[in-house]
Amino acid sequence: MAHGWMPTSPCGPSCQTGDEPTVGRARVIARLTGAAAVLLVAALSVPILPLLGRRVRELFAKRVFRSLLRAFGVRLVVTGEAALRAGRNRGALVTANHISWLDTAAINAVRPMRALAKEDIRTWPVLGRVVAAAGTLFVDRERLRTLPGTVAEVAEAMRRGSLVYVCPEGTTWCGQGGMGRFRPALFQAAIDGGVPVRPLALRYRMADGRETPAPGFLGDETIVDAVRRVARLRGLVLELTVLDELAPGRAANRRELAALTEAATNSALGRVTVPAQSRGRVLRLTVPKPTGSANKPGRQSETAV
């Protein structure tokens, strides 16, 4: 830990149950080979991407990420997909609870967007190059003095019409029994940029319906460890729920905006949170309902990948 404000999670290897259905060794090798092929194609395409139009780049990115999920045998189920695709020329701060390295792949499989990632991802083999080429913004979590500049960079990107995906928890959680507190710093970018916040809620489960921490990127394990564990799973389902937007004017400051977003995300995941307080008064958290309802057919889509 470089400083006292570094986000930390209590999750680690002990959160893993290890009782999920798995595939055989041959299938694991086939999955890893397929994923490597997808990433290699993406990396080789990096030099020509700037020559393509925006819609072509987005279509290419969606296919890359859907192919990556398919390579690992992940089934993606999306509720409210149309809302995330709307407002193509308007910026927004997109937030989600952070569990796995698969989170970003799932979100971009629905709507490609810029992301804020930790600085060391630049150094990842192959993937680092692809991530950087996608317009990713990077944050150095170990140097707090760089944070105001990062917030300003995110705000400017959104003012120019970009969706920027951030993980307000600042680290990964296993997804079992709760999630981390949403740190308020990055919500200042939405306020400064005059753009809404679009919360997403992510949940991982097995084919039988039970939630699983297996896809989590937890503790001190390496990305290789996390990838191998996912490659062994049989019947992994990733549920992505798109929630209603939160206008920056809904909150008095970034802390209240973070609290509203956190409460909305917890509500979508079926969890109860205690209302936040601001300046000695109770802040009424009106939790947005997920976009899409059981009474409105066609709002939920399933991408069999």
Side-chain angles (χ1 to χ4, degrees), residues 116-232:
L116 182 67
K118 58 184 181 179
E119 184 70 30
D120 60 338
I121 289 180
R122 288 184 197 259
T123 65
W124 286 7
V126 184
L127 186 58
R129 182 184 180 192
V130 175
V131 167
T136 299
L137 305 171
F138 293 95
V139 57
D140 189 343
R141 299 191 307 164
E142 296 184 0
R143 300 170 60 200
L144 276 177
R145 65 178 180 273
T146 66
L147 185 56
T150 300
V151 170
E153 189 177 6
V154 172
E156 179 60 23
M158 294 188 298
R159 273 194 293 266
R160 292 176 178 271
S162 293
L163 298 181
V164 180
Y165 161 54
V166 303
C167 302
E169 294 161 289
T171 188
T172 52
W173 289 63
C174 69
Q176 303 296 291
M179 63 185 191
R181 182 175 66 87
F182 279 13
R183 304 296 177 112
L186 292 172
F187 290 89
Q188 187 64 46
I191 294 172
D192 293 346
V195 300
V197 176
R198 169 72 77 180
L200 309 178
L202 300 174
R203 188 198 311 271
Y204 291 85
R205 62 176 176 84
M206 303 309 298
D208 62 6
R210 62 189 173 109
E211 289 192 55
T212 175
F217 185 13
L218 306 174
D220 297 327
E221 69 179 357
T222 67
I223 183 65
V224 174
D225 295 330
V227 168
R228 285 177 176 171
R229 186 167 57 248
V230 168
R232 291 193 294 267

Side-chain angles (χ1 to χ4, degrees), residues 23-185:
V23 298
R25 180 178 177 83
R27 180 66 65 85
V28 171
I29 294 174
R31 286 179 170 181
L32 293 175
T33 302
V38 171
L39 293 176
L40 182 58
V41 169
L44 293 175
S45 303
V46 165
I48 67 172
L49 289 180
L51 306 178
L52 306 177
R54 176 179 175 181
R55 289 185 179 267
V56 176
R57 290 198 304 269
E58 288 190 358
L59 179 60
F60 175 78
K62 284 177 64 174
R63 288 184 175 176
V64 166
F65 286 110
R66 287 183 180 236
S67 297
L68 188 63
L69 294 175
R70 186 179 296 113
F72 283 101
V74 179
R75 193 167 88 245
L76 177 62
V77 179
V78 185
T79 301
E81 182 173 353
L84 188 59
R85 291 181 175 180
R88 186 164 295 277
N89 297 315
R90 186 190 53 156
L93 186 71
V94 179
T95 68
N97 53 310
H98 193 17
I99 301 171
S100 171
W101 56 273
L102 287 170
D103 298 351
T104 301
I107 292 168
N108 282 276
V110 178
R111 171 78 186 271
M113 64 185 71
R114 303 182 73 175
L116 182 67
K118 58 184 181 179
E119 184 70 30
D120 60 338
I121 289 180
R122 288 184 197 259
T123 65
W124 286 7
V126 184
L127 186 58
R129 182 184 180 192
V130 175
V131 167
T136 299
L137 305 171
F138 293 95
V139 57
D140 189 343
R141 299 191 307 164
E142 296 184 0
R143 300 170 60 200
L144 276 177
R145 65 178 180 273
T146 66
L147 185 56
T150 300
V151 170
E153 189 177 6
V154 172
E156 179 60 23
M158 294 188 298
R159 273 194 293 266
R160 292 176 178 271
S162 293
L163 298 181
V164 180
Y165 161 54
V166 303
C167 302
E169 294 161 289
T171 188
T172 52
W173 289 63
C174 69
Q176 303 296 291
M179 63 185 191
R181 182 175 66 87
F182 279 13
R183 304 296 177 112

